[in-house]
mmCIF file of all heavy atoms in Angstrom:
data_model
loop_
_atom_site.group_PDB
_atom_site.id
_atom_site.type_symbol
_atom_site.label_atom_id
_atom_site.label_comp_id
_atom_site.label_asym_id
_atom_site.label_seq_id
_atom_site.Cartn_x
_atom_site.Cartn_y
_atom_site.Cartn_z
ATOM 1 N N VAL A 1 -310.602 -72.801 49.828
ATOM 2 C CA VAL A 1 -310.931 -72.727 51.247
ATOM 3 C C VAL A 1 -310.918 -71.265 51.661
ATOM 4 O O VAL A 1 -309.906 -70.579 51.545
ATOM 5 C CB VAL A 1 -309.930 -73.525 52.095
ATOM 6 C CG1 VAL A 1 -310.271 -73.412 53.596
ATOM 7 C CG2 VAL A 1 -309.936 -75.017 51.686
ATOM 8 N N ALA A 2 -312.057 -70.776 52.141
ATOM 9 C CA ALA A 2 -312.196 -69.355 52.562
ATOM 10 C C ALA A 2 -312.232 -69.296 54.051
ATOM 11 O O ALA A 2 -312.569 -70.205 54.757
ATOM 12 C CB ALA A 2 -313.478 -68.791 51.949
ATOM 13 N N GLY A 3 -311.880 -68.101 54.545
ATOM 14 C CA GLY A 3 -311.917 -67.882 55.970
ATOM 15 C C GLY A 3 -311.574 -66.415 56.304
ATOM 16 O O GLY A 3 -310.773 -65.802 55.626
ATOM 17 N N VAL A 4 -312.230 -65.919 57.335
ATOM 18 C CA VAL A 4 -312.012 -64.513 57.747
ATOM 19 C C VAL A 4 -310.552 -64.370 58.269
ATOM 20 O O VAL A 4 -309.885 -65.380 58.579
ATOM 21 C CB VAL A 4 -312.999 -64.086 58.822
ATOM 22 C CG1 VAL A 4 -314.416 -64.122 58.255
ATOM 23 C CG2 VAL A 4 -312.878 -64.947 60.084
ATOM 24 N N PRO A 5 -310.071 -63.147 58.415
ATOM 25 C CA PRO A 5 -308.679 -62.927 58.928
ATOM 26 C C PRO A 5 -308.493 -63.615 60.263
ATOM 27 O O PRO A 5 -309.303 -63.546 61.187
ATOM 28 C CB PRO A 5 -308.617 -61.412 59.014
ATOM 29 C CG PRO A 5 -309.590 -60.887 58.056
ATOM 30 C CD PRO A 5 -310.693 -61.840 57.991
ATOM 31 N N GLY A 6 -307.367 -64.261 60.427
ATOM 32 C CA GLY A 6 -306.954 -64.880 61.700
ATOM 33 C C GLY A 6 -307.588 -66.204 61.998
ATOM 34 O O GLY A 6 -307.376 -66.768 63.090
ATOM 35 N N ILE A 7 -308.371 -66.754 61.059
ATOM 36 C CA ILE A 7 -309.101 -67.933 61.362
ATOM 37 C C ILE A 7 -308.267 -69.217 61.203
ATOM 38 O O ILE A 7 -308.673 -70.284 61.594
ATOM 39 C CB ILE A 7 -310.379 -68.072 60.371
ATOM 40 C CG1 ILE A 7 -311.457 -68.930 61.004
ATOM 41 C CG2 ILE A 7 -309.962 -68.560 59.034
ATOM 42 C CD1 ILE A 7 -312.175 -68.299 62.162
ATOM 43 N N GLY A 8 -307.049 -69.072 60.662
ATOM 44 C CA GLY A 8 -306.149 -70.171 60.644
ATOM 45 C C GLY A 8 -305.877 -70.826 59.295
ATOM 46 O O GLY A 8 -305.424 -71.957 59.197
ATOM 47 N N LYS A 9 -306.060 -70.052 58.199
ATOM 48 C CA LYS A 9 -305.859 -70.587 56.849
ATOM 49 C C LYS A 9 -304.418 -70.997 56.594
ATOM 50 O O LYS A 9 -304.133 -72.072 56.148
ATOM 51 C CB LYS A 9 -306.312 -69.566 55.811
ATOM 52 C CG LYS A 9 -307.789 -69.142 55.866
ATOM 53 C CD LYS A 9 -308.158 -68.174 54.814
ATOM 54 C CE LYS A 9 -307.527 -66.836 55.002
ATOM 55 N NZ LYS A 9 -307.946 -66.110 56.184
ATOM 56 N N THR A 10 -303.511 -70.080 56.948
ATOM 57 C CA THR A 10 -302.078 -70.362 56.698
ATOM 58 C C THR A 10 -301.542 -71.485 57.568
ATOM 59 O O THR A 10 -300.796 -72.350 57.118
ATOM 60 C CB THR A 10 -301.265 -69.099 56.897
ATOM 61 O OG1 THR A 10 -301.678 -68.096 55.946
ATOM 62 C CG2 THR A 10 -299.752 -69.345 56.708
ATOM 63 N N THR A 11 -301.978 -71.487 58.835
ATOM 64 C CA THR A 11 -301.548 -72.587 59.734
ATOM 65 C C THR A 11 -302.127 -73.926 59.271
ATOM 66 O O THR A 11 -301.526 -74.944 59.374
ATOM 67 C CB THR A 11 -301.958 -72.293 61.192
ATOM 68 O OG1 THR A 11 -301.514 -71.001 61.526
ATOM 69 C CG2 THR A 11 -301.349 -73.267 62.153
ATOM 70 N N MET A 12 -303.351 -73.917 58.747
ATOM 71 C CA MET A 12 -303.977 -75.134 58.242
ATOM 72 C C MET A 12 -303.143 -75.647 57.018
ATOM 73 O O MET A 12 -302.895 -76.868 56.945
ATOM 74 C CB MET A 12 -305.425 -74.836 57.781
ATOM 75 C CG MET A 12 -306.122 -76.057 57.231
ATOM 76 S SD MET A 12 -307.584 -75.618 56.207
ATOM 77 C CE MET A 12 -306.780 -74.984 54.749
ATOM 78 N N VAL A 13 -302.750 -74.734 56.146
ATOM 79 C CA VAL A 13 -301.885 -75.134 54.997
ATOM 80 C C VAL A 13 -300.587 -75.765 55.470
ATOM 81 O O VAL A 13 -300.157 -76.788 54.976
ATOM 82 C CB VAL A 13 -301.632 -73.937 54.080
ATOM 83 C CG1 VAL A 13 -300.472 -74.220 53.110
ATOM 84 C CG2 VAL A 13 -302.867 -73.586 53.288
ATOM 85 N N GLN A 14 -299.989 -75.104 56.487
ATOM 86 C CA GLN A 14 -298.768 -75.642 57.092
ATOM 87 C C GLN A 14 -298.961 -77.047 57.598
ATOM 88 O O GLN A 14 -298.122 -77.967 57.406
ATOM 89 C CB GLN A 14 -298.266 -74.744 58.187
ATOM 90 C CG GLN A 14 -296.950 -75.202 58.819
ATOM 91 C CD GLN A 14 -296.444 -74.252 59.902
ATOM 92 O OE1 GLN A 14 -296.868 -73.109 59.959
ATOM 93 N NE2 GLN A 14 -295.549 -74.720 60.758
ATOM 94 N N LYS A 15 -300.114 -77.306 58.294
ATOM 95 C CA LYS A 15 -300.366 -78.611 58.829
ATOM 96 C C LYS A 15 -300.601 -79.648 57.715
ATOM 97 O O LYS A 15 -300.201 -80.785 57.814
ATOM 98 C CB LYS A 15 -301.639 -78.564 59.724
ATOM 99 C CG LYS A 15 -301.969 -79.856 60.451
ATOM 100 C CD LYS A 15 -300.868 -80.180 61.532
ATOM 101 C CE LYS A 15 -301.355 -81.154 62.580
ATOM 102 N NZ LYS A 15 -301.979 -82.340 62.129
ATOM 103 N N ILE A 16 -301.293 -79.273 56.659
ATOM 104 C CA ILE A 16 -301.502 -80.164 55.503
ATOM 105 C C ILE A 16 -300.172 -80.569 54.897
ATOM 106 O O ILE A 16 -299.930 -81.778 54.638
ATOM 107 C CB ILE A 16 -302.400 -79.464 54.415
ATOM 108 C CG1 ILE A 16 -303.839 -79.376 54.915
ATOM 109 C CG2 ILE A 16 -302.336 -80.242 53.096
ATOM 110 C CD1 ILE A 16 -304.737 -78.605 53.980
ATOM 111 N N VAL A 17 -299.308 -79.598 54.661
ATOM 112 C CA VAL A 17 -297.971 -79.892 54.059
ATOM 113 C C VAL A 17 -297.182 -80.820 54.989
ATOM 114 O O VAL A 17 -296.563 -81.801 54.588
ATOM 115 C CB VAL A 17 -297.194 -78.609 53.772
ATOM 116 C CG1 VAL A 17 -295.786 -78.920 53.328
ATOM 117 C CG2 VAL A 17 -297.937 -77.801 52.686
ATOM 118 N N TYR A 18 -297.173 -80.504 56.279
ATOM 119 C CA TYR A 18 -296.471 -81.310 57.257
ATOM 120 C C TYR A 18 -296.966 -82.717 57.321
ATOM 121 O O TYR A 18 -296.215 -83.688 57.281
ATOM 122 C CB TYR A 18 -296.558 -80.661 58.667
ATOM 123 C CG TYR A 18 -295.888 -81.448 59.774
ATOM 124 C CD1 TYR A 18 -294.489 -81.447 59.916
ATOM 125 C CD2 TYR A 18 -296.621 -82.251 60.654
ATOM 126 C CE1 TYR A 18 -293.888 -82.179 60.894
ATOM 127 C CE2 TYR A 18 -296.022 -83.002 61.616
ATOM 128 C CZ TYR A 18 -294.661 -82.952 61.749
ATOM 129 O OH TYR A 18 -294.037 -83.723 62.729
ATOM 130 N N ASP A 19 -298.319 -82.868 57.363
ATOM 131 C CA ASP A 19 -298.898 -84.232 57.457
ATOM 132 C C ASP A 19 -298.636 -85.028 56.180
ATOM 133 O O ASP A 19 -298.381 -86.257 56.217
ATOM 134 C CB ASP A 19 -300.377 -84.107 57.673
ATOM 135 C CG ASP A 19 -300.753 -83.802 59.121
ATOM 136 O OD1 ASP A 19 -299.822 -83.890 59.965
ATOM 137 O OD2 ASP A 19 -301.900 -83.469 59.384
ATOM 138 N N TRP A 20 -298.573 -84.350 55.000
ATOM 139 C CA TRP A 20 -298.255 -85.064 53.735
ATOM 140 C C TRP A 20 -296.767 -85.541 53.798
ATOM 141 O O TRP A 20 -296.483 -86.682 53.491
ATOM 142 C CB TRP A 20 -298.455 -84.194 52.541
ATOM 143 C CG TRP A 20 -297.958 -84.890 51.307
ATOM 144 C CD1 TRP A 20 -298.652 -85.826 50.567
ATOM 145 C CD2 TRP A 20 -296.681 -84.716 50.641
ATOM 146 N NE1 TRP A 20 -297.865 -86.265 49.532
ATOM 147 C CE2 TRP A 20 -296.640 -85.629 49.545
ATOM 148 C CE3 TRP A 20 -295.533 -83.934 50.919
ATOM 149 C CZ2 TRP A 20 -295.561 -85.712 48.689
ATOM 150 C CZ3 TRP A 20 -294.473 -84.033 50.082
ATOM 151 C CH2 TRP A 20 -294.443 -84.897 49.010
ATOM 152 N N ALA A 21 -295.891 -84.667 54.251
ATOM 153 C CA ALA A 21 -294.484 -84.997 54.370
ATOM 154 C C ALA A 21 -294.224 -86.151 55.343
ATOM 155 O O ALA A 21 -293.293 -86.928 55.165
ATOM 156 C CB ALA A 21 -293.683 -83.772 54.727
ATOM 157 N N MET A 22 -295.108 -86.252 56.360
ATOM 158 C CA MET A 22 -294.994 -87.328 57.318
ATOM 159 C C MET A 22 -295.689 -88.600 56.851
ATOM 160 O O MET A 22 -295.648 -89.608 57.522
ATOM 161 C CB MET A 22 -295.592 -86.873 58.673
ATOM 162 C CG MET A 22 -294.818 -85.766 59.348
ATOM 163 S SD MET A 22 -293.147 -86.277 59.844
ATOM 164 C CE MET A 22 -293.548 -87.363 61.162
ATOM 165 N N GLY A 23 -296.349 -88.549 55.687
ATOM 166 C CA GLY A 23 -297.003 -89.722 55.146
ATOM 167 C C GLY A 23 -298.343 -90.019 55.794
ATOM 168 O O GLY A 23 -298.865 -91.117 55.673
ATOM 169 N N LYS A 24 -298.956 -89.026 56.447
ATOM 170 C CA LYS A 24 -300.221 -89.236 57.117
ATOM 171 C C LYS A 24 -301.445 -88.995 56.231
ATOM 172 O O LYS A 24 -302.482 -89.629 56.454
ATOM 173 C CB LYS A 24 -300.312 -88.296 58.333
ATOM 174 C CG LYS A 24 -299.312 -88.613 59.454
ATOM 175 C CD LYS A 24 -299.454 -87.619 60.619
ATOM 176 C CE LYS A 24 -298.502 -87.976 61.716
ATOM 177 N NZ LYS A 24 -298.634 -86.996 62.831
ATOM 178 N N ILE A 25 -301.333 -88.066 55.255
ATOM 179 C CA ILE A 25 -302.512 -87.750 54.436
ATOM 180 C C ILE A 25 -302.100 -87.664 52.971
ATOM 181 O O ILE A 25 -300.906 -87.502 52.668
ATOM 182 C CB ILE A 25 -303.204 -86.443 54.882
ATOM 183 C CG1 ILE A 25 -302.282 -85.268 54.659
ATOM 184 C CG2 ILE A 25 -303.702 -86.521 56.283
ATOM 185 C CD1 ILE A 25 -302.952 -83.922 54.864
ATOM 186 N N TYR A 26 -303.117 -87.711 52.103
ATOM 187 C CA TYR A 26 -302.900 -87.484 50.658
ATOM 188 C C TYR A 26 -301.760 -88.299 50.087
ATOM 189 O O TYR A 26 -300.931 -87.777 49.331
ATOM 190 C CB TYR A 26 -302.675 -85.972 50.398
ATOM 191 C CG TYR A 26 -303.878 -85.120 50.709
ATOM 192 C CD1 TYR A 26 -303.727 -83.849 51.237
ATOM 193 C CD2 TYR A 26 -305.195 -85.578 50.447
ATOM 194 C CE1 TYR A 26 -304.835 -83.053 51.489
ATOM 195 C CE2 TYR A 26 -306.305 -84.811 50.726
ATOM 196 C CZ TYR A 26 -306.096 -83.558 51.223
ATOM 197 O OH TYR A 26 -307.191 -82.739 51.531
ATOM 198 N N GLN A 27 -301.742 -89.548 50.377
ATOM 199 C CA GLN A 27 -300.667 -90.391 49.857
ATOM 200 C C GLN A 27 -300.808 -90.635 48.364
ATOM 201 O O GLN A 27 -299.886 -91.173 47.726
ATOM 202 C CB GLN A 27 -300.658 -91.713 50.600
ATOM 203 C CG GLN A 27 -300.269 -91.521 52.104
ATOM 204 C CD GLN A 27 -300.270 -92.821 52.881
ATOM 205 O OE1 GLN A 27 -300.040 -93.896 52.328
ATOM 206 N NE2 GLN A 27 -300.558 -92.754 54.179
ATOM 207 N N GLN A 28 -301.947 -90.268 47.798
ATOM 208 C CA GLN A 28 -302.096 -90.382 46.311
ATOM 209 C C GLN A 28 -301.254 -89.339 45.544
ATOM 210 O O GLN A 28 -301.064 -89.484 44.369
ATOM 211 C CB GLN A 28 -303.592 -90.253 45.900
ATOM 212 C CG GLN A 28 -304.192 -88.861 46.015
ATOM 213 C CD GLN A 28 -304.821 -88.581 47.370
ATOM 214 O OE1 GLN A 28 -304.451 -89.157 48.401
ATOM 215 N NE2 GLN A 28 -305.855 -87.717 47.383
ATOM 216 N N PHE A 29 -300.791 -88.312 46.308
ATOM 217 C CA PHE A 29 -299.972 -87.310 45.647
ATOM 218 C C PHE A 29 -298.467 -87.668 45.849
ATOM 219 O O PHE A 29 -298.014 -87.834 46.979
ATOM 220 C CB PHE A 29 -300.247 -85.888 46.247
ATOM 221 C CG PHE A 29 -301.638 -85.464 46.000
ATOM 222 C CD1 PHE A 29 -302.481 -85.110 47.025
ATOM 223 C CD2 PHE A 29 -302.165 -85.396 44.692
ATOM 224 C CE1 PHE A 29 -303.799 -84.685 46.804
ATOM 225 C CE2 PHE A 29 -303.459 -84.960 44.436
ATOM 226 C CZ PHE A 29 -304.243 -84.587 45.504
ATOM 227 N N GLN A 30 -297.756 -87.701 44.730
ATOM 228 C CA GLN A 30 -296.317 -87.940 44.813
ATOM 229 C C GLN A 30 -295.596 -86.707 45.330
ATOM 230 O O GLN A 30 -294.624 -86.793 46.131
ATOM 231 C CB GLN A 30 -295.791 -88.224 43.397
ATOM 232 C CG GLN A 30 -296.039 -89.590 42.873
ATOM 233 C CD GLN A 30 -295.355 -89.828 41.533
ATOM 234 O OE1 GLN A 30 -294.748 -88.868 41.004
ATOM 235 N NE2 GLN A 30 -295.449 -90.999 41.042
ATOM 236 N N PHE A 31 -295.986 -85.530 44.894
ATOM 237 C CA PHE A 31 -295.333 -84.271 45.279
ATOM 238 C C PHE A 31 -296.352 -83.203 45.600
ATOM 239 O O PHE A 31 -297.361 -83.087 44.901
ATOM 240 C CB PHE A 31 -294.421 -83.777 44.144
ATOM 241 C CG PHE A 31 -293.241 -84.684 43.836
ATOM 242 C CD1 PHE A 31 -293.332 -85.609 42.770
ATOM 243 C CD2 PHE A 31 -292.082 -84.695 44.623
ATOM 244 C CE1 PHE A 31 -292.300 -86.473 42.508
ATOM 245 C CE2 PHE A 31 -291.072 -85.555 44.371
ATOM 246 C CZ PHE A 31 -291.143 -86.450 43.307
ATOM 247 N N VAL A 32 -296.064 -82.463 46.628
ATOM 248 C CA VAL A 32 -296.850 -81.276 47.026
ATOM 249 C C VAL A 32 -295.981 -80.062 46.939
ATOM 250 O O VAL A 32 -294.918 -80.009 47.524
ATOM 251 C CB VAL A 32 -297.426 -81.448 48.461
ATOM 252 C CG1 VAL A 32 -298.121 -80.130 48.915
ATOM 253 C CG2 VAL A 32 -298.389 -82.610 48.523
ATOM 254 N N PHE A 33 -296.441 -79.048 46.207
ATOM 255 C CA PHE A 33 -295.722 -77.798 46.055
ATOM 256 C C PHE A 33 -296.555 -76.666 46.636
ATOM 257 O O PHE A 33 -297.694 -76.442 46.213
ATOM 258 C CB PHE A 33 -295.425 -77.514 44.566
ATOM 259 C CG PHE A 33 -294.599 -78.592 43.911
ATOM 260 C CD1 PHE A 33 -295.196 -79.427 42.947
ATOM 261 C CD2 PHE A 33 -293.293 -78.785 44.248
ATOM 262 C CE1 PHE A 33 -294.445 -80.390 42.299
ATOM 263 C CE2 PHE A 33 -292.509 -79.760 43.625
ATOM 264 C CZ PHE A 33 -293.113 -80.586 42.677
ATOM 265 N N SER A 34 -296.013 -75.960 47.625
ATOM 266 C CA SER A 34 -296.793 -74.938 48.324
ATOM 267 C C SER A 34 -296.188 -73.556 48.095
ATOM 268 O O SER A 34 -294.946 -73.384 48.187
ATOM 269 C CB SER A 34 -296.790 -75.261 49.814
ATOM 270 O OG SER A 34 -297.556 -74.316 50.532
ATOM 271 N N PHE A 35 -297.039 -72.594 47.781
ATOM 272 C CA PHE A 35 -296.629 -71.193 47.527
ATOM 273 C C PHE A 35 -297.504 -70.227 48.279
ATOM 274 O O PHE A 35 -298.672 -70.543 48.513
ATOM 275 C CB PHE A 35 -296.681 -70.875 46.008
ATOM 276 C CG PHE A 35 -295.891 -71.771 45.154
ATOM 277 C CD1 PHE A 35 -296.422 -72.925 44.589
ATOM 278 C CD2 PHE A 35 -294.536 -71.452 44.849
ATOM 279 C CE1 PHE A 35 -295.711 -73.791 43.807
ATOM 280 C CE2 PHE A 35 -293.800 -72.313 44.000
ATOM 281 C CZ PHE A 35 -294.363 -73.413 43.454
ATOM 282 N N LYS A 36 -296.891 -69.051 48.624
ATOM 283 C CA LYS A 36 -297.695 -68.004 49.187
ATOM 284 C C LYS A 36 -297.880 -66.902 48.151
ATOM 285 O O LYS A 36 -296.915 -66.532 47.484
ATOM 286 C CB LYS A 36 -297.004 -67.390 50.417
ATOM 287 C CG LYS A 36 -296.895 -68.365 51.610
ATOM 288 C CD LYS A 36 -296.256 -67.669 52.768
ATOM 289 C CE LYS A 36 -295.967 -68.600 53.956
ATOM 290 N NZ LYS A 36 -297.097 -69.301 54.409
ATOM 291 N N PHE A 37 -299.115 -66.423 48.000
ATOM 292 C CA PHE A 37 -299.369 -65.371 47.004
ATOM 293 C C PHE A 37 -298.554 -64.131 47.290
ATOM 294 O O PHE A 37 -298.093 -63.428 46.393
ATOM 295 C CB PHE A 37 -300.828 -65.017 46.990
ATOM 296 C CG PHE A 37 -301.676 -65.920 46.114
ATOM 297 C CD1 PHE A 37 -302.470 -66.904 46.668
ATOM 298 C CD2 PHE A 37 -301.667 -65.796 44.712
ATOM 299 C CE1 PHE A 37 -303.278 -67.706 45.899
ATOM 300 C CE2 PHE A 37 -302.406 -66.625 43.927
ATOM 301 C CZ PHE A 37 -303.209 -67.614 44.480
ATOM 302 N N ARG A 38 -298.295 -63.787 48.564
ATOM 303 C CA ARG A 38 -297.521 -62.573 48.889
ATOM 304 C C ARG A 38 -296.084 -62.708 48.395
ATOM 305 O O ARG A 38 -295.486 -61.713 47.995
ATOM 306 C CB ARG A 38 -297.550 -62.328 50.363
ATOM 307 C CG ARG A 38 -296.752 -63.225 51.265
ATOM 308 C CD ARG A 38 -296.612 -62.646 52.676
ATOM 309 N NE ARG A 38 -297.859 -62.741 53.393
ATOM 310 C CZ ARG A 38 -298.044 -63.390 54.528
ATOM 311 N NH1 ARG A 38 -297.002 -64.042 55.067
ATOM 312 N NH2 ARG A 38 -299.173 -63.457 55.120
ATOM 313 N N ASP A 39 -295.524 -63.971 48.347
ATOM 314 C CA ASP A 39 -294.189 -64.168 47.771
ATOM 315 C C ASP A 39 -294.206 -64.048 46.223
ATOM 316 O O ASP A 39 -293.232 -63.604 45.641
ATOM 317 C CB ASP A 39 -293.640 -65.517 48.179
ATOM 318 C CG ASP A 39 -293.443 -65.629 49.658
ATOM 319 O OD1 ASP A 39 -293.265 -64.590 50.347
ATOM 320 O OD2 ASP A 39 -293.491 -66.763 50.204
ATOM 321 N N LEU A 40 -295.311 -64.467 45.632
ATOM 322 C CA LEU A 40 -295.419 -64.375 44.141
ATOM 323 C C LEU A 40 -295.574 -62.931 43.687
ATOM 324 O O LEU A 40 -295.286 -62.666 42.527
ATOM 325 C CB LEU A 40 -296.613 -65.202 43.696
ATOM 326 C CG LEU A 40 -296.573 -66.712 44.014
ATOM 327 C CD1 LEU A 40 -297.869 -67.387 43.526
ATOM 328 C CD2 LEU A 40 -295.364 -67.388 43.329
ATOM 329 N N ASN A 41 -295.915 -62.016 44.597
ATOM 330 C CA ASN A 41 -296.085 -60.625 44.209
ATOM 331 C C ASN A 41 -294.765 -60.013 43.715
ATOM 332 O O ASN A 41 -294.761 -59.067 42.893
ATOM 333 C CB ASN A 41 -296.614 -59.786 45.405
ATOM 334 C CG ASN A 41 -298.083 -60.025 45.651
ATOM 335 O OD1 ASN A 41 -298.811 -60.408 44.746
ATOM 336 N ND2 ASN A 41 -298.485 -59.865 46.885
ATOM 337 N N SER A 42 -293.658 -60.492 44.221
ATOM 338 C CA SER A 42 -292.363 -59.935 43.892
ATOM 339 C C SER A 42 -291.899 -60.351 42.489
ATOM 340 O O SER A 42 -290.883 -59.801 41.986
ATOM 341 C CB SER A 42 -291.300 -60.333 44.928
ATOM 342 O OG SER A 42 -291.180 -61.767 44.960
ATOM 343 N N ILE A 43 -292.570 -61.244 41.807
ATOM 344 C CA ILE A 43 -292.178 -61.686 40.507
ATOM 345 C C ILE A 43 -292.806 -60.800 39.453
ATOM 346 O O ILE A 43 -294.022 -60.761 39.308
ATOM 347 C CB ILE A 43 -292.570 -63.168 40.267
ATOM 348 C CG1 ILE A 43 -291.955 -64.058 41.316
ATOM 349 C CG2 ILE A 43 -292.168 -63.616 38.879
ATOM 350 C CD1 ILE A 43 -292.442 -65.483 41.238
ATOM 351 N N ASN A 44 -291.990 -59.998 38.756
ATOM 352 C CA ASN A 44 -292.517 -59.037 37.762
ATOM 353 C C ASN A 44 -292.067 -59.395 36.345
ATOM 354 O O ASN A 44 -292.078 -58.536 35.485
ATOM 355 C CB ASN A 44 -292.096 -57.640 38.160
ATOM 356 C CG ASN A 44 -292.699 -57.136 39.456
ATOM 357 O OD1 ASN A 44 -293.895 -57.244 39.612
ATOM 358 N ND2 ASN A 44 -291.861 -56.685 40.332
ATOM 359 N N CYS A 45 -291.673 -60.626 36.132
ATOM 360 C CA CYS A 45 -291.227 -60.996 34.805
ATOM 361 C C CYS A 45 -291.884 -62.326 34.425
ATOM 362 O O CYS A 45 -292.506 -62.984 35.303
ATOM 363 C CB CYS A 45 -289.713 -61.171 34.757
ATOM 364 S SG CYS A 45 -289.046 -62.365 35.940
ATOM 365 N N ARG A 46 -291.760 -62.731 33.186
ATOM 366 C CA ARG A 46 -292.412 -63.999 32.734
ATOM 367 C C ARG A 46 -291.558 -65.180 33.306
ATOM 368 O O ARG A 46 -290.330 -65.132 33.381
ATOM 369 C CB ARG A 46 -292.450 -64.040 31.244
ATOM 370 C CG ARG A 46 -293.387 -63.018 30.673
ATOM 371 C CD ARG A 46 -293.320 -62.900 29.164
ATOM 372 N NE ARG A 46 -294.083 -64.010 28.498
ATOM 373 C CZ ARG A 46 -295.326 -63.966 28.299
ATOM 374 N NH1 ARG A 46 -296.050 -62.957 28.692
ATOM 375 N NH2 ARG A 46 -295.935 -65.005 27.682
ATOM 376 N N LYS A 47 -292.277 -66.191 33.696
ATOM 377 C CA LYS A 47 -291.652 -67.405 34.277
ATOM 378 C C LYS A 47 -292.325 -68.617 33.664
ATOM 379 O O LYS A 47 -293.387 -68.497 33.057
ATOM 380 C CB LYS A 47 -291.863 -67.453 35.795
ATOM 381 C CG LYS A 47 -291.095 -66.413 36.556
ATOM 382 C CD LYS A 47 -289.958 -67.014 37.315
ATOM 383 C CE LYS A 47 -289.205 -66.023 38.199
ATOM 384 N NZ LYS A 47 -288.037 -66.637 38.843
#
């Protein structure tokens, strides 16, 4: 999903995760794991 700065990408992800946790969408998924690339930048070792 692409979008220009400020268009709502991160807030959209937050809403998707919230709606899944509330049982409203994507019930075919048992688990949803959400990460931000900016947080992954701090990892400088093998994982």
Side-chain angles (χ1 to χ4, degrees):
V1 178
V4 297
I7 205 70
K9 298 182 293 295
T10 298
T11 308
M12 181 199 73
V13 164
Q14 182 178 340
K15 186 67 161 51
I16 287 174
V17 173
Y18 176 77
D19 283 347
W20 175 81
M22 294 295 290
K24 293 180 179 179
I25 64 170
Y26 294 144
Q27 294 179 30
Q28 71 268 29
F29 296 123
Q30 285 185 355
F31 295 98
V32 172
F33 301 110
S34 181
F35 301 90
K36 294 184 188 302
F37 276 104
R38 72 167 72 121
D39 296 335
L40 299 177
N41 285 334
S42 61
I43 302 174
N44 294 309
C45 58
R46 295 172 77 83
K47 290 253 184 183

